[in-house]
Amino acid sequence: MSSPALFQPIDFGGLTLPNRIVIAPMCQYSAKDGCMNDWHLIHLGHLALSGAGMLTIEATAVEPEGRITYADVGLWDDATEAAMARVLEGVRAWSSMPLAIQLAHAGRKASCDLPWLGGAQIAPDAPNGWQTVAPSALPFDPADNAPAALDRAGMERIRDAFAEAARRSARLGYDAVQVHGAHGYLLHEFLSPLSNRRTDEYGGSLENRMRFPLEVFDAVRAAFPADRPVSMRVSGTEWVEGGWDIEQTCVFARELEARGCAAINVSSGGGDIRQQIPAGPSFQVPLARAVKAAVSMPVVAVGLITGFEQAETIVATGDADMVGLARTVLYNPRWPWHAAAALGAKVHGPDQYRRSWPRGVGDLFA
Ligand SMILES: Cc1cc2nc3c(=O)[nH]c(=O)nc-3n(C[C@H](O)[C@H](O)[C@H](O)COP(=O)(O)O)c2cc1C
């Protein structure tokens, strides 16, 4: 059997990942005051034994008002940093998997209830709610409380909070940082002509709409050690006529690459309630393919990638350099083991589980 492309190592900004499977960031809505706890140790602990090439920690808010919900993880003070350090110590004691953290600000989509409680926006004067901010005072849903339009001081505060969280991430020993520029959260809100109606140098033309996300990227890049990668997650399109689209994404990707971005993770949607998402297997792969044609940094495809051959084909045909997995790896946290067994490759796994291999699987661990 020829060596599968999915299990070839890859250079990610100077970091060598053992294979092309990255676990996408997944909010757990289980923190208290931004602090991780034993849930995160259990959740990240088992994903860190999955054999993936890298594990991305969930959207981590750079300030309390940047949380999607009151139970989001944060990294804005010594208490949130100490709670995260404890979880990482536990994970690292038993896994050598490279760890990335996604730094985020939810913008106008902050101050919401937990998804399993309906996920509705919580009014600023209700318990667990706060006033949201955005490029312009336009609510995501017309029924929502409108966000406050950020002034320059507010933008600088948030940019500096991203940089401070990147410094804390460096201290925590993260191998990489991913900046969250997707899914209708703050940086995406600046990019999109639908949510950004500013008349200053941060709104209007594509160059102006990209300005704040690029400033945040630069601040994070400068704050995180130069020998460790910083990447960006984007929505390749918001699936709405007249909105952020793949052509603008490619321009943005080139700007990021010129600034030292190590990789780009291409998701989609989340910016506008009118979105019509053609969800289906590999539905975002064409977006990754388009970005890949525009840049030379590694591109990650994500979204309903569930099959081993499906993932192998995406990498082998060059549609993307890596695949991101979210729901499928929650459902089957040993997905990379099973992919390796099916495709004839090996993964890093714990010695304690060596006796688990069924007859015919052979020596699965590298
Ligand atoms: C429970 C859950 C939490 C998520 N949290 C985040 C997040 O923190 N940041 C992010 O960029 N995307 C988040 N996503 C989106 C996933 O990273 C991924 O892009 C999406 O689910 C599509 O991949 P999939 O089809 O493999 O699930 C989340 C998805 C799920 C299911």
Side-chain angles (χ1 to χ4, degrees):
M1 199 183 303
S2 64
S3 178
L6 191 62
F7 288 91
Q8 297 301 315
I10 183 168
D11 177 75
F12 166 43
L15 178 68
T16 303
L17 307 184
N19 60 54
R20 311 302 184 89
I21 305 163
V22 300
I23 299 183
M26 281 180 276
C27 282
Q28 296 300 295
Y29 313 105
S30 300
K32 188 161 188 317
D33 299 326
C35 290
M36 283 188 167
N37 54 48
D38 284 352
W39 171 256
H40 303 89
L41 182 61
I42 295 167
H43 163 69
L44 297 170
H46 80 246
L47 293 178
L49 303 179
S50 68
M54 187 167 71
L55 169 57
T56 315
I57 274 59
E58 67 187 88
T60 297
V62 299
E63 63 173 18
E65 296 75 19
R67 293 173 296 173
I68 303 166
T69 78
Y70 53 89
D72 285 20
V73 167
L75 186 54
W76 58 70
D77 63 5
D78 292 347
T80 50
E81 183 178 332
M84 196 174 270
R86 179 184 158 273
V87 168
L88 295 181
E89 188 187 354
V91 171
R92 288 207 185 96
W94 300 104
S95 168
S96 59
M97 188 178 291
L99 300 177
I101 180 170
Q102 187 185 53
L103 297 180
H105 193 297
R108 67 180 183 175
K109 289 174 75 176
S111 186
C112 289
D113 210 340
L114 309 186
W116 50 84
L117 297 180
Q121 193 196 50
I122 301 177
D125 53 357
N128 293 322
W130 58 88
Q131 175 61 50
T132 60
V133 296
S136 304
L138 297 168
F140 176 64
D141 187 308
D144 288 348
N145 169 59
L150 281 163
D151 59 13
R152 291 296 289 277
M155 290 164 65
E156 283 167 17
R157 184 194 74 238
I158 291 171
R159 180 202 61 202
D160 293 349
F162 268 95
E164 183 58 20
R167 276 188 284 275
R168 291 183 186 277
S169 302
R171 211 152 52 215
L172 287 163
Y174 278 108
D175 300 287
V177 164
Q178 180 183 84
V179 179
H180 198 345
H183 302 164
Y185 298 116
L186 186 69
L187 301 186
H188 178 164
E189 289 160 18
F190 271 89
L191 292 171
S192 170
L194 301 175
S195 46
N196 180 348
R197 312 296 295 178
R198 297 177 75 94
T199 53
D200 63 3
E201 66 268 48
Y202 291 93
S205 67
L206 173 58
E207 187 186 358
N208 282 357
R209 284 180 277 119
M210 292 191 301
R211 195 179 308 279
F212 184 62
L214 290 173
E215 285 178 4
V216 168
F217 177 83
D218 287 343
V220 170
R221 183 54 286 180
F224 198 60
D227 60 349
R228 291 190 243 167
V230 176
S231 68
M232 176 74 90
R233 189 169 226 205
V234 293
S235 281
T237 175
E238 53 195 357
W239 306 111
V240 179
E241 195 68 33
W244 181 253
D245 57 21
I246 190 62
E247 286 76 24
Q248 296 172 83
T249 302
C250 289
V251 175
F252 185 50
R254 281 194 289 266
E255 290 290 334
L256 287 165
E257 184 164 45
R259 287 166 158 79
C261 188
I264 187 157
N265 188 302
V266 186
S267 185
S268 78
D272 194 291
I273 54 169
R274 292 167 293 174
Q275 66 187 14
Q276 297 290 329
I277 301 184
S282 296
F283 74 107
Q284 292 172 156
V285 171
L287 302 169
R289 188 191 307 135
V291 174
K292 191 156 164 53
V295 296
S296 46
M297 64 182 156
V299 174
V300 185
V302 66
L304 289 177
I305 299 169
T306 57
F308 311 137
E309 289 292 348
Q310 179 192 6
E312 168 67 10
T313 303
I314 290 165
V315 177
T317 58
D319 279 346
D321 301 284
M322 295 181 253
V323 293
L325 305 180
R327 289 165 292 187
T328 197
V329 79
L330 286 187
Y331 189 66
N332 175 6
R334 304 279 182 264
W335 192 97
W337 294 23
H338 298 291
L343 298 171
K346 291 183 188 293
V347 286
H348 290 292
D351 290 332
Q352 292 90 332
Y353 289 176
R354 282 186 175 270
R355 292 174 66 187
S356 66
W357 307 327
R359 189 193 299 264
V361 165
D363 184 354
L364 190 60
F365 291 167

